[in-house]
Amino acid sequence: MTDTAARSLGTAVAPEPELPVENRTNLDLGAVTVVHTRHWWRWTIAAIIVFILVQFAWSLVTNDRYMWGTFAEYFFSGPVLIGIGYTLSLTAISAVVGFLLGTVIALGRLSKSALLNSAAWTYIWFFRSVPLVVQIIVWYNLGYLYPTLGLGTPFTTDFWLVEFPTVQLISAFAAAILGLGLHQAAYSAEIIRGGLISVDQGQSEAAAALGIPASRRLLRIILPQAMRSIIPNATNEVIGLVKGASVVFVIAIPELFYAVQVTYNRNSRVIPLLLVAVVWYTIITTILSIAQFYIERHFARGSVRTLPPTPLQQARRWLSTQWARLGDDAPGTDAVTPTTGKAQA
């Protein structure tokens, strides 16, 4: 206030004395009071979240209706393990069929041919429009429309080369693969197309100017760069396929949810059997999420200077940081005086 008034009146004000250089260098930083920023809202919300989690964990332990004994009894039971095998098989085969066919459809969407572009767009439009469960039921009952399938004279039913009864050719498992795979291909095509068009067009033009063939440009230059944007969405689709495989219970394939459903229909223990399915789905999803991290890290090698640390590297860094905070006596470190900045022996 005095300084401001003096300046407004035009009077001279003596400057504050500055500390000598030697006093500033010998200043004891340990005597300086550090005032940390208080995040009241952050602490409040964190406390509420912790309270809710603790309350839920307490209910899991004290509520007998969860029937954890029944959960442990059926967690590794034979029908459940067989159902997991069917779920993983359906997911793996359908994902391979979906992404391979989706790649072809995506290239068709990017083709300059009007026929190929229209055919690819029609495929995507149709299979995204029809619900998955309807597709599976139609494939399972295809024998009602076409009792026999084969090769022979075009536009006739004279299959003189080879002929198969449709019911024998398309079993329940094959119908599930067709429904899941063709449905997944429509979504995979758009994911792959989005990844391909996200790469700068100059990459393809520069490769073409060097005389690199189109197939090599796609597989060695464009696709590896597009994988950075394809992998997260593709992993979401695979995880959705793991849970989406549960719809095949409508054609009585004993996958995980069907096995659990049959079991609780017999013993009326719905909640513990559903928890068995939930925990197994969570385990599978967690493994896929970990795989996604390492695949993304692999394809990030050409785009970042330093790769993101793995969970093990993060844990080691955290432990080393916490160990360093224990004091200046930590092994492998030299004590440093705050006044001189020189290490003591």
Side-chain angles (χ1 to χ4, degrees):
M1 293 292 291
T2 306
D3 182 45
T4 305
R7 289 180 179 178
S8 62
L9 294 175
T11 58
V13 179
E16 296 181 0
E18 295 184 0
L19 292 175
V21 176
E22 60 274 8
N23 290 343
R24 282 183 288 177
T25 57
N26 294 332
L27 180 63
D28 188 5
L29 298 179
V32 178
T33 303
V34 178
V35 180
H36 297 281
T37 304
R38 292 176 174 83
H39 304 280
W40 297 108
W41 285 106
R42 185 187 303 175
W43 294 347
T44 303
I45 295 174
I48 293 174
I49 293 175
V50 171
F51 172 77
I52 294 174
L53 293 177
V54 172
Q55 180 71 27
F56 178 68
W58 178 83
S59 68
L60 291 178
V61 176
T62 59
N63 193 343
D64 296 334
R65 296 180 181 180
Y66 281 105
M67 300 181 185
W68 293 111
T70 304
F71 170 86
E73 178 183 355
Y74 287 98
F75 190 73
F76 292 106
S77 63
V80 170
L81 295 180
I82 293 174
I84 294 172
Y86 272 101
T87 298
L88 295 178
S89 300
L90 289 169
T91 301
I93 298 174
S94 302
V96 171
V97 172
F99 280 97
L100 288 179
L101 182 58
T103 302
V104 176
I105 297 171
L107 295 178
R109 287 279 285 120
L110 297 174
S111 175
K112 296 180 180 179
S113 171
L115 179 60
L116 294 178
N117 195 307
S118 301
W121 183 90
T122 303
Y123 180 95
I124 296 171
W125 164 78
F126 177 79
F127 281 95
R128 290 199 302 187
S129 302
V130 181
L132 175 59
V133 64
V134 175
Q135 297 180 38
I136 293 174
I137 294 176
V138 168
W139 284 112
Y140 185 65
N141 295 280
L142 191 64
Y144 288 102
L145 294 175
Y146 305 100
T148 58
L149 295 174
L151 297 175
T153 305
F155 307 108
T156 67
T157 57
D158 183 15
F159 303 130
W160 53 272
L161 284 177
V162 63
E163 184 177 3
F164 298 99
T166 304
V167 176
Q168 297 180 6
L169 183 63
I170 302 180
S171 61
F173 190 83
I177 293 297
L178 286 172
L180 292 170
L182 297 179
H183 180 81
Q184 183 60 48
Y187 290 90
S188 301
E190 289 297 273
I191 292 174
I192 295 171
R193 185 177 70 89
L196 293 177
I197 63 178
S198 67
V199 180
D200 185 16
Q201 189 177 359
Q203 298 283 331
S204 179
E205 294 175 350
L210 294 174
I212 300 176
S215 59
R216 186 173 297 179
R217 293 201 302 265
L218 174 65
L219 297 177
R220 301 299 299 273
I221 298 175
I222 305 301
L223 191 57
Q225 297 181 68
M227 291 297 288
R228 287 182 289 142
S229 59
I230 291 175
I231 290 298
N233 297 320
T235 307
N236 285 339
E237 289 296 319
V238 175
I239 291 175
L241 194 58
V242 171
K243 297 174 287 186
S246 61
V247 301
V248 302
F249 80 93
V250 297
I251 55 177
I253 293 181
E255 48 80 41
L256 177 58
F257 179 70
Y258 182 84
V260 167
Q261 190 179 28
V262 169
T263 305
Y264 72 64
N265 283 334
R266 293 175 179 173
N267 58 19
S268 300
R269 299 179 179 181
V270 179
I271 296 300
L273 267 303
L274 288 179
L275 285 175
V276 169
V278 167
V279 172
W280 275 117
Y281 281 126
T282 304
I283 292 173
I284 296 172
T285 302
T286 303
I287 294 174
L288 291 175
S289 300
I290 295 173
Q292 174 190 353
F293 170 80
Y294 284 98
I295 294 174
E296 287 184 355
R297 190 172 184 270
H298 172 77
F299 284 103
R301 291 180 300 175
S303 61
V304 295
R305 294 181 180 272
T306 304
L307 293 177
T310 64
L312 183 59
Q313 292 173 343
Q314 293 179 356
R316 289 178 178 174
R317 182 179 301 176
W318 182 84
L319 289 175
S320 62
T321 302
Q322 300 305 316
W323 183 264
R325 289 180 177 179
L326 294 178
D328 297 332
D329 303 316
T333 59
D334 295 329
V336 179
T337 58
T339 55
T340 62
K342 298 180 180 180
Q344 294 179 350

